Amino acid sequence: MAGAAARPAVFARSVPAPASARSACPHCGSAVLERRLPILPVSGRCPACAQAIGPRALVPEAMAAAAFAVVAAGAASGWFVAAQYWVAACGVVLALIDLAVQRLPDVLTLPTCGGTLLLLTAAALAGETGSLGRAAAAAAVLTAVFVLMAFSGAMGLGDVKLAPAIGALLGWSSWTALFWGAAAGFVVGAVSEVARLTARRARRTHVSFGPYMVIGALAVSVTAA
């Protein structure tokens, strides 16, 4: 269900700046997202002209299933595991958009951060193991680091706006989790980009760092819980 919900969101928001969204097929112009409950076929093709639109067949569904399986394999429970699932679900959408057009839209990064902090607040109120204060501080620290990197040109502003969610999720467990979770994102990103260069598939200089942030955060958060 999370993957099916991700597909129309990825299609709608995978547009280059300054455009904000789209609702029509780029090939035939037919409206594909003007229903009350917009659901695109898992085939990844326009219902009218059968041309490929949005993510490839079953890709969002498979990514969501894999991300949720990772979270389910952890030992977390209660509101904190809900926060993990929230980051996983939002991360699938953001990762696919980032890979498609190298941007992380505010309309998605802000709810990701807000939802994460809200769920962690609920976890604190429920007396779950962890620290809301440390989560908030970790979100601020990681965001500040990313802001500095953005000024140097090493990071995009979309990554900066996703940082509070990543920092808070990791900081809930410990400062060690924050360090390793952030580091894991860079390591996974470096290995992936080297692999792409080796395979001669890297034709752009911009690195879509959003997917690596989410992968590193989820992997460490699940093991640290």
Side-chain angles (χ1 to χ4, degrees), residues 181-194:
F186 287 100
V187 171
V188 173
V191 171
S192 177
E193 291 305 310
V194 169

Side-chain angles (χ1 to χ4, degrees), residues 134-150 155 159-171 175 177-186 209 213-214 216-217:
R134 184 174 57 230
V141 168
L142 189 62
T143 302
V145 171
F146 277 27
V147 166
L148 293 176
M149 296 182 69
M155 191 74 63
D159 301 322
V160 173
K161 295 170 186 176
L162 180 58
I166 301 301
L169 187 70
L170 292 166
W175 287 107
L178 174 66
F179 173 80
W180 287 114
F186 287 100
F209 190 58
M213 292 172 64
V214 175

Side-chain angles (χ1 to χ4, degrees), residues 11 25 54 56 61-62 70 72 74 78 83 102 116-117 121 127-128 144 173 189 212:
F11 167 75
C25 172
R56 293 183 179 180
E61 294 79 7
V70 169
Q102 291 78 60
T116 302
L117 292 172
T121 300
E128 296 179 20
S173 299
Y212 307 131

Side-chain angles (χ1 to χ4, degrees), residues 3-117:
R7 181 175 291 280
V10 173
F11 167 75
R13 300 294 172 177
S14 292
V15 290
S20 59
R22 63 181 174 185
S23 61
C25 172
H27 303 287
C28 67
S30 63
V32 294
L33 292 182
E34 292 187 355
R35 294 170 289 178
R36 285 187 177 181
L37 185 63
I39 299 294
L40 296 184
V42 295
S43 63
R45 295 186 176 276
C46 172
C49 67
Q51 292 292 321
I53 58 173
R56 293 183 179 180
L58 297 176
V59 169
E61 294 79 7
M63 288 178 62
F68 277 36
V70 169
V71 175
S77 60
W79 290 105
F80 179 59
V81 77
Q84 291 178 322
Y85 279 120
W86 176 252
V87 171
C90 295
V92 169
V93 181
L94 289 168
L96 287 171
I97 295 173
D98 201 8
L99 290 171
V101 292
Q102 291 78 60
R103 65 181 297 205
L104 297 173
D106 293 350
V107 70
L108 295 174
T109 54
L110 299 181
T112 301
C113 297
T116 302
L117 292 172

